[in-house]
Amino acid sequence: MAEVSRRQARRQAVILLYQRDVTGLPVPELVENALRAGDHADDPFTQALVDGVEADRQVIDQRITESADRWTADRIAPLERNILRVAVHELGTGDVPVPVAIDEAVEMAKKWCAAETPKFVNGVLGRVARENEEAAA
Amino acid sequence: MSAREELEHATRRLEALAQRIAEAVDLPAAELEELARQAADLSAAVVEIIPRAIAEAEAEARGDVTPVGDPAAEALVPDGLSEDEPA
């Protein structure tokens, strides 16, 4: 298996979750499809992110809804929603420093989404991170 | 059409199909099967378009390509000539 950076793995996880969200196809089928296309969808970090989001999706979406002013997770565009889901999951695991998890999500939003999205992503994740800190205190 | 426009179009069609399938309580089985087949084809197309749309956005963010339909870019090439051809 080829070496994949964490950034590439996150990118692949968001793509898989986005595909799953829009089409409803099962993750294993999407992974097979991505592997056929030459993507490293079987990377362990990618799979951990996808599995983590899939397992806790309801809780993650609830956190997003609570932290997004006037927006519910189901009304956020699917690409933005899945960038947020991966980051909220990472913030919850504590495996990655908080600024890294937020910065990675904001960078994806800058590259992939509308101009106002990075600020929105930063705001939502900042609130989630603060709530995590308060809960841990 | 850019990959992102393709994706937007395909996603809208997929959502509309899903809605029709969800509401198709009294539809004959053959028609329902046809809707399901169309949805499966469209899902496969969306799965294929998503990575392309993301790669396209990344290329634009790096400044490798100019967004489709950018009038400023079109103005760079004189009528009837490409940059590879001698004037």
Side-chain angles (χ1 to χ4, degrees), chain A residues 11 14-15 18-19 22-23 25 30 33 39 78-79 110-113, chain B residues 4 7 11 14 42-44 46-48 50-51 54-55 57-58 61:
Chain A
R11 177 188 186 278
V14 171
I15 289 174
Y18 182 20
Q19 290 170 323
V22 176
T23 66
L25 292 171
L30 295 168
N33 187 73
D39 293 328
L79 181 54
K110 277 184 192 169
K111 279 191 261 181
W112 300 350
C113 306
Chain B
R4 274 177 292 174
L7 179 57
T11 304
L14 191 56
L42 212 43
S43 288
V46 167
V47 164
E48 185 268 328
I50 283 174
I54 284 178
E58 286 170 337

Side-chain angles (χ1 to χ4, degrees), chain A residues 4-83:
Chain A
V4 176
S5 72
R6 285 205 156 203
R7 176 166 288 182
Q8 288 172 313
R10 255 181 218 104
R11 177 188 186 278
Q12 188 61 54
V14 171
I15 289 174
L16 288 167
L17 289 163
Y18 182 20
Q19 290 170 323
R20 164 113 180 92
D21 213 359
V22 176
T23 66
L25 292 171
V27 170
E29 189 176 325
L30 295 168
V31 169
E32 282 300 314
N33 187 73
L35 289 172
R36 276 198 301 274
D39 293 328
H40 304 295
D42 55 350
D43 171 74
F45 186 54
T46 298
Q47 291 194 329
L49 291 175
V50 171
D51 291 347
V53 169
E54 283 287 282
D56 289 335
R57 190 155 55 172
Q58 277 190 318
V59 174
I60 290 171
D61 283 359
Q62 184 62 35
R63 302 284 318 267
I64 292 170
T65 298
E66 286 165 3
S67 302
D69 279 341
R70 302 181 298 278
W71 289 92
T72 54
D74 62 326
R75 286 187 59 226
I76 298 170
L79 181 54
E80 286 86 332
R81 182 166 57 231
N82 285 294
I83 291 172

Side-chain angles (χ1 to χ4, degrees), chain B residues 10-28:
Chain B
T11 304
R12 272 203 304 269
R13 284 177 54 209
L14 191 56
E15 283 167 355
L17 260 178
Q19 183 73 25
R20 280 181 64 194
I21 291 169
E23 291 168 355
V25 183
D26 298 324
L27 215 58

Side-chain angles (χ1 to χ4, degrees), chain B residues 57-82:
Chain B
E58 286 170 337
E60 277 179 25
R62 286 194 306 267
D64 292 353
V65 295
T66 309
V68 173
D70 182 347
E74 285 162 12
L76 293 175
V77 182
D79 284 349
L81 293 176
S82 83

